[in-house]
Amino acid sequence: PSFNAPASGNTRPAYLFPLFLLINIATMTDRSIIAGASQEFSAFVSSAYDSPDLVKENPDAGIGLLQAAFIFGYSICIILSGHFVHKIRWKPLVFSGMCVWWLGVLGSGNAKHYNSFYVLLFSRMATGASEAAFQVVAPPLIQDRGGNQAGLWLSVYLTGLPLGLAFGYIYGSRMASSDKWGWDWAYYFMCIASLPLLVVLMFVKDNTNGGILGGAGNSINIDTVDDEASGLTAHQPLLAGTDEADAQALQQSEEDGRTQRAKFTLFSEIKACISSPVLVSLSLGWAAIIGVVASLGTFGGAFVLALQLYDDERDAAWWFGIAAALAGVIGTPLGGKLADKVLKRYVGRDSGAIHGDGVDDSLRYPIIASMLSRINMLVAIAMLFIFPTLAMQDAAYFLTFLFIGWTLLFMTQTAINLVAMFSVDRCHRPNAMAFLMLTSHLLGDVPLPILLGVIKDKLAPACTVGSSGEFSDPEQCKEQETGLRQSLAIAYAWVFWSLIFFEVARRCARREIGKVRSEEVNTLSLEEENGSGDESTFQYYHSKFQPPQPSVDSPLNETGALQE
């Protein structure tokens, strides 16, 4: 069936994937409202009646704590979501989570009316917890159902992250500084705008593999289905033939699939992830990048104001957000194109080859090694553009260099997600995504925004935002510009950890390649010593490298000579 054609009553991918994109934009917009209105939220947390003394004395640390609460709820539930995605249908899991997310957004707005720091804290935790299921399900589902357009749709979906974060940054700033509305209405309008998405999601239908994601059971490749077989669904168990043996084989296959799903446990899923050195190293490297991005998103507006690049927070948030949005919109699809070129080089097909059944197991690690080399190159070049901003005094140059650096960093997103899914067996791809996100959050955007907020308050104490929403001492803050730039330098330097861990992951992939080659060579040697003359092993070993065979209409015969 075609990409747009419905199969067995399932919602068409051409409708489902744009819905995923809009949900991703909505959730990312919610994440960055606090970052775009950091001054107003700093004033709120320092004046709320139930704020702890630590938060009242260090409002920036309080902002970091709110972001950390969101990620804490997200991290706990992403483990559970990665487990239950093997047990229950993905649609009820995602839909129930998004309903809780909607209530958490509503509670975030109500926190201002209650003047309660803890209402805001636990509402942010609830939104993070409920968002986890969607983030675990979407990438593998897109990889499975996208067919020849899977690479394109994965990049489009990931574009929602920078687009939503940037929009939320601008949106939060404008709403918080509005005399008519305020930051509470930023959340209320989010509830109104996202309600239609929940209604549409409620009517989504997906019966493929019983609606359970995870890859258990037999499946078929969408690229290998003939047009006449329009009743078949991609990755749906094949229909039984008239032959009784075929029917029994199908029944046994379905029973094996159910048994495999029943064997999924939290322990086995965690073991599958931590036993992959590629995935572990990749996650640590991604954590370094995510931590810095989250820190700059949380305090970026305050940094730009304190560095005297702009005089108004709304202008600072506006241009800061536009730079981030354009970098994501441009960088992420370019990264998808780059990933597709790597896949086409190894698999010999376009982006449809990235779904699990289209890639030979022996090619996973060559693909991973090739992608990681390009990821490291992009990160290194990005840092060459980002570090000079530490010495820049002009806003145009500052944002231009930051935009180029961000574009290069966003180009790594698609490849990093693909490497994570290739680093484990197909059935554990949701768990790999959960592990990647969990590690990047627990070691990235949970501790680093808090740490950077404390460092910023220590190196530039006059630039701390007070209960009035202004810097505690604006004149003294101008004299502490050096401390602010030192804080930025610490954040930038943290990205170098990603270069180290990505290189470790690449070397681990190369080691796996060496193991496979050694095993195959040893097998060939043993067959030769034992006198196995059918040469089947030799033919299998070289089958991946054989030249294209002449077509039926070719004038060449099998030896390459012209036919009579």
Side-chain angles (χ1 to χ4, degrees), residues 113-298:
H113 294 279
Y114 293 124
N115 192 33
S116 173
F117 171 77
Y118 285 106
V119 170
L120 183 59
L121 182 74
F122 287 112
S123 294
R124 302 314 302 151
M125 189 180 297
T127 56
S130 53
E131 182 187 319
F134 171 71
Q135 299 295 342
V136 166
V137 167
L141 193 64
I142 292 173
Q143 191 186 28
D144 278 346
R145 312 293 162 80
N148 289 333
Q149 300 175 354
L152 169 66
W153 279 112
L154 186 60
S155 297
V156 170
Y157 166 78
L158 293 173
T159 304
L161 188 149
L163 196 60
L165 290 178
F167 175 75
Y169 194 87
I170 299 171
Y171 170 69
S173 172
R174 295 287 175 173
M175 291 297 296
S177 58
S178 172
D179 296 332
K180 184 178 180 180
W181 302 109
W183 59 262
D184 53 333
W185 276 96
Y187 289 112
Y188 292 151
F189 283 132
M190 277 293 301
C191 289
I192 296 172
S194 59
L195 189 59
L197 299 179
L198 297 183
V199 174
V200 174
L201 181 61
M202 182 172 60
F203 289 100
V204 166
K205 294 182 179 180
D206 183 30
N207 296 315
T208 303
N209 286 338
I212 297 177
L213 189 66
N218 288 342
S219 58
I220 59 174
N221 190 335
I222 193 170
D223 298 326
T224 63
V225 179
D226 295 331
D227 292 336
E228 290 81 5
S230 58
L232 290 177
T233 305
H235 303 285
Q236 187 176 17
L238 291 171
L239 297 177
T242 57
D243 190 272
E244 182 178 354
D246 292 341
Q248 292 177 353
L250 174 62
Q251 182 178 1
Q252 181 64 37
S253 173
E254 292 175 345
E255 292 176 356
D256 292 343
R258 288 192 293 269
T259 302
Q260 184 177 357
R261 287 196 289 268
K263 290 182 179 180
F264 284 113
T265 64
L266 278 174
F267 176 77
S268 66
E269 292 159 2
I270 294 173
K271 182 180 178 182
C273 293
I274 63 177
S275 61
S276 171
V278 172
L279 179 60
V280 173
S281 301
L282 179 80
S283 300
L284 293 174
W286 188 232
I289 294 178
I290 287 293
V292 173
V293 170
S295 299
L296 293 179
T298 303

Side-chain angles (χ1 to χ4, degrees), residues 175-496:
M175 291 297 296
S177 58
S178 172
D179 296 332
K180 184 178 180 180
W181 302 109
W183 59 262
D184 53 333
W185 276 96
Y187 289 112
Y188 292 151
F189 283 132
M190 277 293 301
C191 289
I192 296 172
S194 59
L195 189 59
L197 299 179
L198 297 183
V199 174
V200 174
L201 181 61
M202 182 172 60
F203 289 100
V204 166
K205 294 182 179 180
D206 183 30
N207 296 315
T208 303
N209 286 338
I212 297 177
L213 189 66
N218 288 342
S219 58
I220 59 174
N221 190 335
I222 193 170
D223 298 326
T224 63
V225 179
D226 295 331
D227 292 336
E228 290 81 5
S230 58
L232 290 177
T233 305
H235 303 285
Q236 187 176 17
L238 291 171
L239 297 177
T242 57
D243 190 272
E244 182 178 354
D246 292 341
Q248 292 177 353
L250 174 62
Q251 182 178 1
Q252 181 64 37
S253 173
E254 292 175 345
E255 292 176 356
D256 292 343
R258 288 192 293 269
T259 302
Q260 184 177 357
R261 287 196 289 268
K263 290 182 179 180
F264 284 113
T265 64
L266 278 174
F267 176 77
S268 66
E269 292 159 2
I270 294 173
K271 182 180 178 182
C273 293
I274 63 177
S275 61
S276 171
V278 172
L279 179 60
V280 173
S281 301
L282 179 80
S283 300
L284 293 174
W286 188 232
I289 294 178
I290 287 293
V292 173
V293 170
S295 299
L296 293 179
T298 303
F299 304 112
F303 273 122
V304 172
L305 278 177
L307 292 174
Q308 305 172 56
L309 298 176
Y310 289 96
D311 297 326
D312 182 77
E313 184 186 19
R314 287 184 297 180
D315 291 337
W318 174 262
W319 291 109
F320 200 79
I322 286 179
L326 287 178
V329 170
I330 295 173
T332 307
L334 287 177
K337 288 283 187 180
L338 182 63
D340 274 348
K341 287 183 178 180
V342 174
L343 292 166
K344 187 175 182 180
R345 170 188 172 191
Y346 280 93
V347 187
R349 300 192 299 175
D350 55 8
S351 59
I354 70 174
H355 83 65
D357 290 344
V359 177
D360 190 285
D361 189 65
S362 63
L363 294 174
R364 285 166 46 202
Y365 288 107
I367 292 172
I368 289 173
S370 183
M371 284 190 175
L372 284 171
S373 298
R374 287 157 175 79
I375 290 171
N376 250 350
M377 179 185 66
L378 289 172
V379 174
I381 298 175
M383 297 314 299
L384 293 179
F385 283 94
I386 291 176
F387 261 100
T389 62
L390 294 173
M392 293 180 179
Q393 303 288 339
D394 183 84
Y397 287 112
F398 182 90
L399 289 178
T400 298
F401 274 72
L402 208 58
F403 162 76
I404 297 174
W406 279 345
T407 300
L408 293 169
L409 288 179
F410 280 125
M411 286 179 66
T412 65
Q413 272 198 106
T414 302
I416 286 173
N417 279 266
L418 289 173
V419 168
M421 289 189 281
F422 276 130
S423 65
V424 296
D425 292 337
R426 182 173 180 267
C427 60
H428 285 296
R429 289 175 303 158
N431 305 112
M433 295 304 301
F435 186 85
L436 177 70
M437 298 174 192
L438 176 64
T439 306
S440 63
H441 292 319
L442 289 182
L443 300 180
D445 40 0
V446 169
L448 206 57
I450 299 176
L451 179 61
L452 187 62
V454 173
I455 292 174
K456 171 181 169 293
D457 289 345
K458 294 296 182 182
L459 295 179
C463 298
T464 301
V465 179
S467 58
S468 63
E470 303 292 336
F471 294 126
S472 56
D473 190 344
E475 295 301 323
Q476 186 69 20
C477 180
K478 295 178 181 179
E479 299 177 5
Q480 295 177 354
E481 181 180 333
T482 302
L484 288 170
R485 293 189 183 273
Q486 289 175 351
S487 302
L488 271 179
I490 293 173
Y492 292 168
W494 197 258
V495 178
F496 283 113

